[in-house]
């Protein structure tokens, strides 16, 4: 269906017949103001992923045959970055990148 030329026309006064009248809760209809937030538990949508990001060691110590005082490991995640509710990050973040989805002038 191509909707480029779709037109919907509603005659004056028809909206009340098309949509049922909305009924507000009694507390709202009576003019009362809310006194607290609705208490609803947040349950994040946890997913599992089949693959894992490869781990890469940057810098080699003398015991590894390198010249560095210490080395760092990046990668190893099994969930998207900072989705700690799905899986803990195996290594703390040490590298950042900017991804531009439009041309930067």
């Amino acid at each position: 269906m191509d909707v480029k030329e779709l037109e919907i026309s509603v005659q004056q006064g028809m909206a009340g017949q098309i949509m049922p009248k909305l009924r507000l809760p009694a507390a709202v209809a009576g003019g009362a103001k809310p006194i607290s937030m609705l208490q609803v538990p947040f349950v994040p949508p946890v997913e599992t992923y089949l693959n894992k990001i490869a781990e890469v060691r940057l810098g080699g110590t003398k015991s590894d045959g390198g010249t560095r005082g210490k080395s760092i490991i990046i990668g190893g995640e099994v969930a998207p970055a900072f989705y700690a509710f799905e899986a803990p990050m195996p290594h703390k973040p040490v590298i950042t990148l900017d991804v531009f989805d439009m041309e930067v002038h």
Side-chain angles (χ1 to χ4, degrees), residues 41-103:
F42 173 70
V43 180
V46 177
E47 295 185 32
T48 56
Y49 302 93
L50 300 176
N51 294 318
K52 171 182 173 178
I53 303 294
E55 288 186 349
V56 176
R57 178 181 301 272
L58 301 176
T61 61
K62 290 183 181 186
S63 63
D64 297 327
T67 60
R68 305 289 180 204
K70 71 176 195 173
S71 62
I72 59 172
I73 300 173
I74 60 172
E77 288 83 5
V78 294
F82 302 106
Y83 274 37
F85 57 88
E86 289 189 344
M89 294 178 70
H91 309 289
K92 67 180 184 178
V94 292
I95 295 177
T96 63
L97 301 171
D98 288 327
V99 177
F100 298 102
D101 59 352
M102 61 183 181
E103 187 175 345

